[in-house]
Amino acid sequence: MLSNCFDELRKRSALVHNITNYVTVNDVANIILACGASPIMADDPEDAEEITAICGGLNINIGTLNQRTIPGMFAAGRKAKELGHPILLDPVGAGASSLRTNTAVDLMKELHPTVIRGNISEIKTLIQGSGTTQGVDADVADAITEDNLDEGIEMVKAFARSTGSIVAVTGAIDLVSDGNQCYVIRNGRPEMGKITGTGCQLSGMMTAFVTANPENPLEAAAASVSAMGLAGEIAWSHMSKFDGNATYRNRIIDAIYNMDGKILSEGAKYEIR
Amino acid sequence: MLSNCFDELRKRSALVHNITNYVTVNDVANIILACGASPIMADDPEDAEEITAICGGLNINIGTLNQRTIPGMFAAGRKAKELGHPILLDPVGAGASSLRTNTAVDLMKELHPTVIRGNISEIKTLIQGSGTTQGVDADVADAITEDNLDEGIEMVKAFARSTGSIVAVTGAIDLVSDGNQCYVIRNGRPEMGKITGTGCQLSGMMTAFVTANPENPLEAAAASVSAMGLAGEIAWSHMSKFDGNATYRNRIIDAIYNMDGKILSEGAKYEIR
Amino acid sequence: MLSNCFDELRKRSALVHNITNYVTVNDVANIILACGASPIMADDPEDAEEITAICGGLNINIGTLNQRTIPGMFAAGRKAKELGHPILLDPVGAGASSLRTNTAVDLMKELHPTVIRGNISEIKTLIQGSGTTQGVDADVADAITEDNLDEGIEMVKAFARSTGSIVAVTGAIDLVSDGNQCYVIRNGRPEMGKITGTGCQLSGMMTAFVTANPENPLEAAAASVSAMGLAGEIAWSHMSKFDGNATYRNRIIDAIYNMDGKILSEGAKYEIR
C-alpha cells in the first residue's frame, strides 16, 4: 500500500544527504522537511563522506555539476554503498552535454543506485550510454502517452532489470519499475512543468521515502511519485485568479506538508502492470 | 510594439542558458518559465560551452562570480558569439570590487554583448572602465531622475554607441537604448528594491525576450523592462495587510505568469527619445 | 530596550556581507532586506576581502562550505577584524563532520567573532573543540528546557567569557549572553523547525542588528532573536487551513518586513539573568 509508505515516513525521522544543484536546492530542502524527513547538503569531497555516514539515504542530482562536486558525488556514493544506504541518482540534463552524460553513466555504473529517477530523455540517454540496447527503440516517442504505454513499460522494465535499480520515469504518465512490476501513475498536472525543480523536489522526497521504507523500495518510490502528483492536483485546486507558478510552487510544498497516508490513498491514481 | 514582443515570446519556446549567482538563481529560473521560456543553468567550463550550444540565448550575471565560473562565462560567451546567439551581460556589483569590475569589463570587451543591463552605478563603472569618457559626467547624480533625464539619456546612448550593445539602465526611471533611440520607461514600484534579485530576474527574462525577438532586440529589451515594472505594479495591487517582501516576490513572478501582450500594452508607460 | 535596536536598524542602512550556504541564501538576503538592511554575497577569496571592506558587518555561515570558500571566509574575516566590523559566526553542522568542526573552531580562534550563533549541539561542539571545559557538562541534555535552564545559562555564560564573543544558542528557549548577562527568550514556534534555514536567516538578520547597534551588541543580538521568534508567532497566526511550511517561510519574512520597535516591544518575551 502506497499510503503505508507515507505513514512510515511520518513515523521515522529519515535524514537525507543531498548533493544537488544550486538552482532548486532550497525547495528540495523544504519538501524533504514537508514530508517528515530532514535534509543535509554537503558537496565538498572532504565533507561529503562523513556527512553521508550520519545520514540514512543519499540523493545525487547532477544539475549544475562541476569539477569540484563530481568527486564529492563519488566519495559520498561509495560511502553510502559501503554502509548499505539507499542511493538515488537524478541524471539532470543527461544527453544535453557530454559532461552530464558521462558523469551520470559513470555514477550509475559505479554506484548501482537503488533508484534512478529522471524524465524520459534523460533515462533514454542512460539506456544508450550504458551500452544496453534491449527495449530501446528510437521510434518510441519522447513522451510516454497512452498510445505507446506498453512499449514504455517494457523499456523501463528492461532498463531496471539490466541495471538492478528501480527506475522512475516521470512525465504526464509516470512509470516506476523494479524490472518485475511497473507502477503506472496518473497523478499530476501539466502546470507543474512551469515550476523549476519539481523533478528535483521529487528526487529529494523519493530518497526520503525509500530511506524510511527499506523493505519496500519499489512501493516507496511509487508512493513518492503519486504523492508529488497529488500535491500538484491539490495545490492547483487552491489557486486563485492572480496566482501563478511562484505561488503554485509554494502550494505544492504546502500540500505535501499537509498530506498523510490517508490523503494519499484517497487521491492516488495508479495501476500495477 | 512592445506587446508583440511578449506575444512572440509566448509563441516560441526560447531556451536560455544562465550563468548566474546562487543567491537569486531560483527566482531567475521561475520568472523565465513564467514568461514562456525555459531556463538551463550550467557554469562549469567543461559543461557551459555544450549547454550554450543547445540554447537560443545566454545570460551572464557576475553576482557570486568565482575563479571556477569566470572561465565558464568566457567559454559559454565565445560559443554563443560563434553561433550568433544573443548574449546579455549583467555586471552585478561592478565597481564594488576589482574582481567584479575587471571581469565585467573583460566580458564586455571580448563578448560584445547584445545587451548590457545594470543599475546606474554598475553602468557608470563600465563606462569608466572601458576607457571611454564621452557622455560621462561625474556631475550626473547616481540616480536618473526627471531632473537629470536628458543627461542620463545622452550618457546611455553614447555608451550604447561606443560598445555596439543595447544598454539598459534600470532604476526609478528605466532607460533602454541602442545608441539611436532611447526608451524611457516609467513602470515599477520602489518596493521592488526590497526584494533580492529583481534585477537578476529581469536580466533572465530580458534574455528570453531578446532571444525570441531576434529582429527587434531593442524593442524586446524595452518590453521586458516594462513588463517587469508592470508586474511589480500588478503584484503590489494584490498585496494584503500582513504581506511583505517575500509574498511580493512571489506575486511579481505570478504577475508575469499571467501577463501577455494585451496586458502589457495596456499597462506599459514609456516614451521614445 | 530591544525595541530601540530595531528602530536604529530601520533608521540606518546597514550593509551586510554574507558568506553563506547556497541552500538558504535567498531567504537570508530577503530577510536582511525585510529588516531594513542590505545584503551582499561574495565568497571567492579574491573578491571577499574587497566586498567586506565596503560593508558594515560580516556574516560567516559554514553550511555547504568547501575548499574554495573557506579561504574566502578567512580573508573576509581578517579584513573585517582589521576594520573593526562586527563578525558573526554560524557554525552550521559543527560536530557533524571534521571539516565543519575544524573550520568552525579555526574561524572562532582566529577571528574572535563578535557573535557566535548556533543550535545547542553546534555550540557544545565548539565548547569542546576549543579545549575549554568549564561549564560544559555532558549531562546537560541537548535541548535547553525549563528543567536544565540554570545549567544552560551557566554554560553559555562561561563560553561567552572564555571566547570574548557574544554567544547565542537558539532552540525552544533561546539564550544570548556576553558572559555577564544572559537574555532568556521565549518567543517562537516549534513549526519554525519545519522550514529550512530559519537559523541561517536569523544569523543574517542578527549581523544586521549588531552592525546597526555598535554600542549595544548584546541587546542587538537578543533583539534579533526575539524578533525572529515573534515573526514566527505572527506568521503562524496568519496561516490558513491548506498552508504549510513553504507559505510559513514567506509569512515569517513578511512579518519581519512589517515589524518595528513598537511591535517587537509588545511581543518580546524575555528575562535577563
Side-chain angles (χ1 to χ4, degrees):
Chain A
M1 298 276 295
L2 302 191
S3 60
N4 291 349
C5 295
F6 209 148
D7 290 332
E8 278 306 305
L9 178 54
R10 289 267 177 225
K11 264 183 265 174
R12 300 179 189 186
S13 51
L15 190 55
V16 177
H17 179 200
N18 302 273
I19 303 183
T20 186
N21 67 76
Y22 58 77
V23 184
T24 64
V25 60
N26 185 266
D27 293 331
V28 169
N30 273 325
I31 206 163
I32 287 175
L33 285 161
C35 74
S38 295
I40 298 186
M41 278 70 177
D43 60 21
D44 195 74
E46 206 183 311
D47 202 33
E49 210 174 311
E50 277 183 84
I51 294 294
T52 271
I54 61 165
C55 291
L58 174 63
N59 171 30
I60 300 177
N61 172 309
I62 66 165
T64 67
L65 82 177
N66 63 60
Q67 299 302 339
R68 184 180 60 73
T69 55
I70 293 171
M73 293 173 185
F74 280 98
R78 282 179 203 122
K79 176 55 79 175
K81 213 168 140 61
E82 181 191 321
L83 297 170
H85 295 177
I87 301 172
L88 183 143
L89 173 63
D90 185 339
V92 178
S97 73
S98 43
L99 181 65
R100 292 181 188 228
T101 302
N102 295 339
T103 302
V105 169
D106 291 349
L107 286 165
M108 179 177 75
K109 287 192 172 165
E110 177 162 348
L111 302 180
H112 297 290
T114 316
V115 193
I116 302 170
R117 193 215 66 81
N119 65 34
I120 182 68
S121 305
E122 292 156 354
I123 297 299
K124 280 190 176 175
T125 297
L126 291 192
I127 290 171
Q128 286 154 358
S130 70
T132 65
T133 50
Q134 71 270 26
V136 186
D137 192 330
D139 286 15
V140 176
D142 249 18
I144 289 170
T145 63
E146 300 295 348
D147 288 341
N148 62 22
L149 184 56
D150 289 346
E151 293 164 78
I153 290 170
E154 277 320 302
M155 181 187 77
V156 170
K157 280 188 175 177
F159 186 49
R161 278 194 298 270
S162 78
T163 55
S165 299
I166 293 167
V167 174
V169 179
T170 52
I173 300 173
D174 307 306
L175 304 178
V176 185
S177 176
D178 62 355
N180 183 23
Q181 290 184 302
C182 184
Y183 282 79
V184 179
I185 300 167
R186 291 185 176 83
N187 288 105
R189 290 207 48 105
E191 293 84 358
M192 296 173 81
K194 289 292 182 184
I195 301 168
T196 191
T198 47
C200 303
Q201 290 176 42
L202 174 53
S203 287
M205 185 162 70
M206 191 182 282
T207 310
F209 268 79
V210 171
T211 300
N213 292 276
E215 308 82 7
N216 301 302
L218 175 64
E219 247 186 352
S224 68
V225 171
S226 181
M228 188 74 196
L230 180 59
E233 297 170 25
I234 293 171
W236 190 257
S237 75
H238 298 142
M239 294 281 280
S240 308
K241 188 177 174 191
F242 298 108
D243 291 345
N245 60 334
T247 292
Y248 192 32
R249 179 260 305 263
N250 292 316
R251 289 199 182 284
I252 289 173
I253 297 174
D254 286 354
I256 292 293
Y257 184 87
N258 289 303
M259 197 180 289
D260 56 17
K262 185 166 177 291
I263 295 173
L264 177 59
S265 74
E266 287 168 2
K269 297 173 201 146
Y270 68 97
E271 57 178 323
I272 301 174
R273 294 271 291 265
Chain B
M1 298 278 294
L2 302 191
S3 60
N4 291 348
C5 294
F6 209 150
D7 290 333
E8 278 305 305
L9 177 55
R10 289 268 177 226
K11 265 184 263 171
R12 301 178 189 184
S13 51
L15 190 54
V16 177
H17 179 200
N18 302 273
I19 303 182
T20 186
N21 67 76
Y22 58 77
V23 184
T24 63
V25 59
N26 185 266
D27 293 331
V28 169
N30 273 325
I31 206 163
I32 287 175
L33 285 161
C35 74
S38 295
I40 298 186
M41 278 70 177
D43 61 21
D44 195 74
E46 206 184 311
D47 203 33
E49 210 175 313
E50 277 183 84
I51 294 294
T52 271
I54 62 165
C55 290
L58 173 64
N59 171 30
I60 299 177
N61 173 310
I62 66 165
T64 67
L65 83 177
N66 63 59
Q67 299 302 340
R68 185 181 59 72
T69 55
I70 294 171
M73 294 174 184
F74 280 98
R78 284 179 203 122
K79 175 56 79 175
K81 214 167 139 60
E82 180 192 321
L83 297 170
H85 295 177
I87 302 172
L88 182 142
L89 172 64
D90 185 339
V92 178
S97 74
S98 43
L99 181 65
R100 293 183 187 227
T101 303
N102 294 338
T103 302
V105 168
D106 291 349
L107 286 165
M108 178 177 75
K109 287 191 172 166
E110 177 161 348
L111 302 180
H112 297 289
T114 316
V115 193
I116 302 169
R117 192 215 67 82
N119 64 35
I120 182 66
S121 304
E122 292 156 354
I123 297 299
K124 279 189 178 176
T125 297
L126 291 191
I127 290 170
Q128 286 154 358
S130 68
T132 64
T133 51
Q134 70 270 28
V136 186
D137 192 330
D139 286 18
V140 176
D142 249 17
I144 289 169
T145 62
E146 300 295 349
D147 288 340
N148 62 22
L149 185 56
D150 289 347
E151 292 163 79
I153 291 171
E154 276 321 300
M155 181 187 77
V156 171
K157 280 188 174 176
F159 186 48
R161 277 194 300 269
S162 78
T163 56
S165 299
I166 292 166
V167 174
V169 180
T170 53
I173 302 173
D174 307 306
L175 304 178
V176 186
S177 176
D178 63 354
N180 182 23
Q181 291 185 302
C182 184
Y183 283 78
V184 178
I185 301 168
R186 291 184 177 81
N187 289 105
R189 290 206 50 103
E191 293 85 358
M192 297 173 80
K194 289 292 182 185
I195 302 168
T196 190
T198 46
C200 303
Q201 291 176 41
L202 173 53
S203 287
M205 184 162 71
M206 191 183 281
T207 310
F209 268 80
V210 170
T211 301
N213 291 278
E215 308 83 5
N216 301 302
L218 175 64
E219 248 186 351
S224 68
V225 171
S226 181
M228 188 74 196
L230 181 58
E233 297 170 25
I234 293 171
W236 191 257
S237 74
H238 298 143
M239 294 281 279
S240 307
K241 187 177 174 191
F242 298 108
D243 291 345
N245 60 335
T247 292
Y248 191 31
R249 178 260 305 264
N250 292 316
R251 290 200 181 284
I252 289 173
I253 298 174
D254 286 355
I256 293 292
Y257 184 87
N258 289 302
M259 197 180 288
D260 57 17
K262 186 165 175 295
I263 294 173
L264 178 58
S265 74
E266 288 167 3
K269 298 174 200 146
Y270 68 97
E271 57 178 322
I272 302 174
R273 293 272 289 265
Chain C
M1 297 277 295
L2 303 190
S3 60
N4 291 349
C5 294
F6 209 149
D7 289 332
E8 277 306 304
L9 178 55
R10 289 267 177 227
K11 266 184 262 173
R12 301 179 188 184
S13 52
L15 190 55
V16 176
H17 179 200
N18 302 274
I19 303 184
T20 186
N21 67 76
Y22 58 79
V23 183
T24 63
V25 60
N26 185 266
D27 293 331
V28 170
N30 273 325
I31 206 163
I32 288 175
L33 285 161
C35 74
S38 295
I40 298 187
M41 278 71 177
D43 61 21
D44 196 74
E46 206 183 311
D47 203 31
E49 211 175 312
E50 277 183 84
I51 294 294
T52 271
I54 62 165
C55 291
L58 173 63
N59 171 30
I60 299 178
N61 172 310
I62 67 166
T64 68
L65 83 177
N66 65 59
Q67 300 302 340
R68 184 182 60 71
T69 55
I70 293 171
M73 293 173 185
F74 281 97
R78 283 179 203 122
K79 176 55 80 175
K81 213 167 140 60
E82 180 192 323
L83 297 170
H85 295 177
I87 301 173
L88 182 143
L89 173 63
D90 186 339
V92 179
S97 73
S98 43
L99 181 65
R100 292 182 188 229
T101 302
N102 295 339
T103 302
V105 169
D106 290 349
L107 286 165
M108 179 177 73
K109 288 192 173 166
E110 177 162 348
L111 303 179
H112 297 291
T114 316
V115 193
I116 303 171
R117 192 215 68 81
N119 64 36
I120 182 67
S121 305
E122 291 156 355
I123 297 299
K124 280 191 178 175
T125 297
L126 291 192
I127 290 171
Q128 287 153 358
S130 70
T132 65
T133 51
Q134 70 269 27
V136 186
D137 192 329
D139 286 16
V140 176
D142 248 18
I144 289 170
T145 63
E146 300 295 349
D147 288 340
N148 62 21
L149 185 56
D150 289 346
E151 293 164 78
I153 290 171
E154 277 320 301
M155 181 187 77
V156 170
K157 280 188 176 177
F159 186 48
R161 277 194 299 268
S162 79
T163 55
S165 299
I166 293 166
V167 174
V169 179
T170 53
I173 301 173
D174 307 306
L175 303 179
V176 186
S177 176
D178 62 354
N180 183 24
Q181 291 185 301
C182 183
Y183 283 79
V184 179
I185 301 168
R186 291 184 176 83
N187 288 106
R189 289 208 50 105
E191 294 84 358
M192 296 173 81
K194 289 292 182 183
I195 301 168
T196 191
T198 47
C200 303
Q201 290 175 44
L202 174 53
S203 287
M205 186 162 70
M206 191 182 283
T207 311
F209 268 79
V210 171
T211 301
N213 291 278
E215 307 83 7
N216 302 302
L218 174 64
E219 247 187 351
S224 68
V225 171
S226 181
M228 189 73 196
L230 180 58
E233 296 170 26
I234 293 171
W236 190 257
S237 74
H238 298 143
M239 294 281 280
S240 308
K241 187 177 175 191
F242 298 108
D243 291 345
N245 61 334
T247 292
Y248 192 32
R249 178 259 305 265
N250 292 315
R251 289 199 182 283
I252 289 173
I253 298 174
D254 286 355
I256 292 293
Y257 184 87
N258 289 303
M259 197 180 289
D260 56 18
K262 187 166 174 293
I263 295 173
L264 177 58
S265 74
E266 288 167 3
K269 298 173 201 146
Y270 69 97
E271 57 179 323
I272 301 174
R273 293 270 291 265

